[in-house]
Amino acid sequence: VRNAENRRIVLASRPEGAPRLDNFRLETGSIPIPGPGQVLVRNRFLGVEPAMRGWISAAKGYSEPVPLGGVMRGFAVGEIAASNNPDYQAGETVTGLFGWQEWAAVDPPAILRRVTETDLPVSTALGVLGVNGMTAYVGLLDIGQPKPGETVVVSTAAGAVGSAAGQIAKIKGCRAVGVAGGPAKCHQCLTEFGYDAAIDYKAVADIGAALRQACPDGIDVYFDNVGGPILDAVLEQINLGARIAICGTISATIGEGQLAPRPNRQLLIARAKMQGFLVLDHFGRFPTGLAELAQWIREGRLTYREDIIDGIERAPEGLMRVLAGANMGKQLIRLAD
Amino acid sequence: VRNAENRRIVLASRPEGAPRLDNFRLETGSIPIPGPGQVLVRNRFLGVEPAMRGWISAAKGYSEPVPLGGVMRGFAVGEIAASNNPDYQAGETVTGLFGWQEWAAVDPPAILRRVTETDLPVSTALGVLGVNGMTAYVGLLDIGQPKPGETVVVSTAAGAVGSAAGQIAKIKGCRAVGVAGGPAKCHQCLTEFGYDAAIDYKAVADIGAALRQACPDGIDVYFDNVGGPILDAVLEQINLGARIAICGTISATIGEGQLAPRPNRQLLIARAKMQGFLVLDHFGRFPTGLAELAQWIREGRLTYREDIIDGIERAPEGLMRVLAGANMGKQLIRLAD
């Protein structure tokens, strides 16, 4: 242990509207001492998730709000430095909800899994081999159930979740159409992630017309990370028996109180399904899914992009980048050795 | 054959807005002669469906519009008077899409099934033992998947479909809450169909508050026949993993162009499903479902109400009654002997 300090990011205040840097504060404390049954983890990478906007809001969501003054909730990957638990050994690499801090004394339930893909970068445990990849895997395959030849539309198509969903759609023999913001991300969709078409929603005047052009056979599966007007436009073009997997609603959150045509008539006419899901309800799928995702990476069929910034003090900046859509790939914070 | 005439109702014009009596016309022709492979059916009862509003509209729906001047599409039950098909014998009772006419020469695909529940009234083949009962059966059990102790809300709760859905929910051990229009229908819900609570949506000032009172443990399943503001209110009160079966959208059709909050955020937070369905996609469930429904009727666990008017010339009036919500039970037209 190089020094006896534990730097951490805590929630200083709840955002009114969009989160700001000053909603967070860097604190320094001592390295925690693991209690009975706990392990001490030294974090190597912190993950940044769009869902953090909800975690720091007081509004009802699917998880408890981060308490004021508490360490910011977040996934991390690191090594076990000390263990008071016979199931875990010092030196093992683990990932879980260890929070935005350099050191974490955690109870085993906070540990999502041991990281065993030692041939792949450890940072993948926070993205394509973490909840992002598994969100794509469960949402696309279990909720979306794509069949070969079908058309799959993915929003935030170049993001950590979306890029995996699009590539899995291609692996399953579908036409994959990505919706992303800006030419750089659309270029990434076509050249890195293998989408058949990419729509820059910020550049097109009519998202419905752009979707019709990109999806000449209609839309069978929509992997929806945003909601809002893109969802409205997709609903107008769904095929019989279409499946819409609701993974995120960032656009609806921004446009709080926005009104739209009700989707029930389109769902009825198409006998279609719209279903919200949360990957953490599907832990049972992790062993199979992670093994398959890792194998696809090794075979060169699944690629991923990481956007790494250095230093725990920059973690809030990482969140600002994600919420502004400025990150190019999974936003990660690398901690010093 | 008492006379050589075949009276039929044809579509005279497409409605602009709500259908009117003068969109239909009574015509008299000769009794059709069944062609090769066809059977001649003498209809005894005609059914009236809310979906007919869609069938006579030119707008995109899940079935082809009834052509102008064509016999009105509709389910009927009757006896085979003559058969050119070795699979069907004169004297058998059959039901299917025979149209609003006294006699129909039909190809076997138009025949939904032989009516074999000879201990029950033949008219049930158009309601509780027809597409209405099977719509309730498939929508509630296959889409809604109710578990004992859950709360099931049903709209148009006293209708031909809704009353069956509510009773099946009770048979499955659920709390059943009906939403219906007017005190007479709400009374029917409580006294005839066994709902635990009934909400008169026309009388309550705040449908959300009324639902909260009737559903103290939240809503697990919504069998939705109407859409509109009731659906909006239900979405605010769904439990984790809720299932919304979209069976009809009469309210949305009336309020064409109405805007509402998008449901995707509620579906995500609750990891809930909203799914449209059409019973005709589920023919495979008919043998099992009809046998079970008939058995429940014989055991006195499933009851039904019919609203019978006499004479084919009154069939359009029957549709007006249904669209105005004036019918008390399955609207049927009884044809003369």
Side-chain angles (χ1 to χ4, degrees):
Chain A
V1 172
R2 198 180 51 131
N3 61 45
E5 280 187 353
N6 180 29
R7 296 192 300 161
R8 54 187 184 242
I9 302 290
V10 302
L11 184 64
S13 58
R14 294 204 189 282
E16 295 170 20
R20 295 198 320 257
L21 287 176
D22 64 6
N23 296 127
F24 298 94
R25 186 174 66 228
L26 179 69
E27 281 187 356
T28 301
S30 53
I31 294 176
I33 295 163
Q38 287 194 323
V39 301
L40 178 67
V41 180
R42 179 166 195 178
N43 289 335
R44 293 299 174 184
F45 286 91
L46 309 179
V48 182
E49 322 293 332
M52 286 172 163
R53 179 213 302 270
W55 301 353
I56 61 177
S57 143
K60 186 192 164 192
Y62 40 62
S63 53
E64 284 298 302
V66 175
L68 281 179
V71 174
M72 178 60 193
R73 181 182 300 144
F75 289 98
V77 62
E79 290 100 47
I80 295 179
S83 174
N84 290 336
N85 190 304
D87 293 342
Y88 293 93
Q89 315 306 325
E92 287 188 302
T93 300
V94 288
T95 181
L97 277 171
F98 306 151
W100 274 4
Q101 52 189 341
E102 293 174 316
W103 298 85
V106 301
D107 292 303
I111 301 175
L112 187 62
R113 67 180 186 101
R114 285 184 174 80
V115 177
T116 55
E117 305 80 23
T118 49
D119 56 328
L120 299 172
V122 68
S123 57
T124 56
L126 296 181
V128 67
L129 295 182
V131 289
N132 299 143
M134 280 307 299
T135 296
Y137 187 91
V138 165
L140 187 71
L141 298 183
D142 296 354
I143 312 287
Q145 302 186 307
K147 290 180 268 299
E150 288 191 328
T151 296
V152 175
V153 174
V154 179
S155 55
T156 65
V161 173
S163 64
Q167 290 177 89
I168 298 170
K170 291 303 299 177
I171 288 169
K172 295 298 176 183
C174 298
R175 174 174 177 81
V177 174
V179 180
K185 286 178 181 168
C186 285
H187 184 73
Q188 231 185 350
C189 283
L190 297 172
T191 58
E192 287 186 36
F193 302 131
Y195 285 91
D196 297 287
I199 297 171
D200 179 357
Y201 75 87
K202 292 180 175 171
V204 297
D206 179 345
I207 184 73
L211 281 167
R212 262 186 299 278
Q213 191 177 4
C215 308
D217 300 325
I219 298 168
D220 300 291
V221 178
Y222 179 39
F223 190 104
D224 185 11
N225 282 304
V226 298
I230 300 172
L231 174 57
D232 303 343
V234 166
L235 278 161
E236 295 289 331
Q237 299 180 44
I238 51 175
N239 290 333
L240 270 190
R243 289 81 65 197
I244 298 177
I246 302 288
C247 176
T249 63
I250 200 162
S251 164
T253 312
I254 293 168
E256 209 86 59
Q258 256 188 4
L259 300 181
R262 292 191 185 88
N264 52 320
R265 181 98 195 132
Q266 300 296 342
L267 293 177
L268 178 61
I269 290 172
R271 288 89 102 177
K273 179 181 81 168
M274 180 151 82
Q275 183 167 359
F277 74 100
L278 181 63
V279 70
L280 302 182
D281 294 335
H282 301 264
F283 269 132
R285 293 287 277 152
F286 274 57
T288 303
L290 290 171
E292 198 161 19
L293 291 165
Q295 193 52 33
W296 287 331
I297 294 173
R298 294 182 188 111
E299 293 170 359
R301 303 171 75 190
L302 176 63
T303 188
Y304 58 94
R305 186 69 104 89
E306 295 175 336
D307 186 329
I308 297 176
I309 59 183
D310 282 289
I312 191 166
E313 66 281 4
R314 294 183 67 193
E317 179 191 332
L319 179 57
M320 300 305 113
R321 288 172 60 79
V322 165
L323 296 182
N327 59 310
M328 296 292 289
K330 173 66 185 180
Q331 185 70 61
L332 297 172
I333 312 299
R334 183 165 41 203
L335 304 189
D337 278 331
Chain B
V1 173
R2 196 180 52 131
N3 62 43
E5 279 187 352
N6 180 29
R7 295 194 300 163
R8 54 188 184 242
I9 302 289
V10 302
L11 184 63
S13 58
R14 294 205 188 280
E16 295 168 23
R20 294 198 322 256
L21 286 177
D22 64 6
N23 296 129
F24 298 95
R25 186 174 65 228
L26 179 68
E27 281 186 356
T28 301
S30 52
I31 294 175
I33 295 164
Q38 287 193 322
V39 300
L40 178 67
V41 179
R42 179 163 195 182
N43 289 335
R44 293 298 175 185
F45 285 90
L46 308 178
V48 182
E49 323 293 333
M52 286 173 163
R53 179 213 302 270
W55 300 354
I56 61 177
S57 141
K60 186 193 164 192
Y62 39 64
S63 52
E64 284 297 303
V66 175
L68 280 180
V71 174
M72 179 60 193
R73 181 183 299 144
F75 289 97
V77 62
E79 292 100 46
I80 295 179
S83 173
N84 290 336
N85 191 305
D87 293 342
Y88 293 94
Q89 314 306 325
E92 287 188 304
T93 300
V94 289
T95 182
L97 277 171
F98 305 152
W100 275 4
Q101 52 188 343
E102 293 175 317
W103 298 85
V106 300
D107 292 303
I111 300 175
L112 187 60
R113 68 180 187 101
R114 284 183 176 80
V115 178
T116 55
E117 305 81 24
T118 49
D119 56 327
L120 299 172
V122 67
S123 57
T124 56
L126 296 181
V128 68
L129 294 182
V131 289
N132 298 143
M134 281 305 300
T135 296
Y137 187 91
V138 166
L140 186 71
L141 298 182
D142 296 353
I143 313 288
Q145 302 184 306
K147 290 181 269 295
E150 289 191 329
T151 296
V152 175
V153 174
V154 179
S155 55
T156 65
V161 173
S163 64
Q167 291 177 89
I168 298 170
K170 290 304 297 177
I171 289 169
K172 295 298 175 184
C174 298
R175 174 174 177 80
V177 174
V179 180
K185 285 178 181 168
C186 285
H187 184 73
Q188 230 185 353
C189 282
L190 297 172
T191 58
E192 288 184 36
F193 303 130
Y195 284 91
D196 297 288
I199 297 171
D200 180 357
Y201 74 87
K202 292 180 177 172
V204 297
D206 179 345
I207 183 73
L211 281 167
R212 263 187 298 278
Q213 192 177 5
C215 307
D217 299 324
I219 298 168
D220 300 291
V221 178
Y222 179 38
F223 190 104
D224 185 12
N225 282 304
V226 299
I230 300 172
L231 174 57
D232 304 343
V234 165
L235 278 161
E236 294 290 331
Q237 299 179 43
I238 51 175
N239 290 333
L240 270 191
R243 290 81 65 197
I244 298 177
I246 302 288
C247 176
T249 64
I250 201 162
S251 164
T253 311
I254 292 169
E256 209 85 59
Q258 258 189 1
L259 299 181
R262 292 191 186 88
N264 52 321
R265 181 99 196 133
Q266 300 298 342
L267 293 177
L268 179 61
I269 290 172
R271 288 90 102 178
K273 179 181 81 167
M274 180 151 82
Q275 184 167 0
F277 74 100
L278 180 64
V279 69
L280 302 183
D281 293 335
H282 301 264
F283 270 131
R285 292 286 277 153
F286 274 56
T288 302
L290 290 171
E292 200 161 17
L293 291 166
Q295 192 53 33
W296 287 331
I297 295 173
R298 293 182 189 111
E299 294 169 1
R301 304 171 75 190
L302 176 62
T303 187
Y304 58 94
R305 185 68 103 89
E306 294 175 336
D307 186 329
I308 297 175
I309 58 182
D310 283 289
I312 191 166
E313 67 280 4
R314 294 182 66 192
E317 180 191 331
L319 179 57
M320 299 305 113
R321 288 172 60 80
V322 165
L323 296 182
N327 58 309
M328 297 291 290
K330 173 66 184 180
Q331 185 70 62
L332 297 172
I333 312 299
R334 182 164 43 201
L335 305 188
D337 278 333

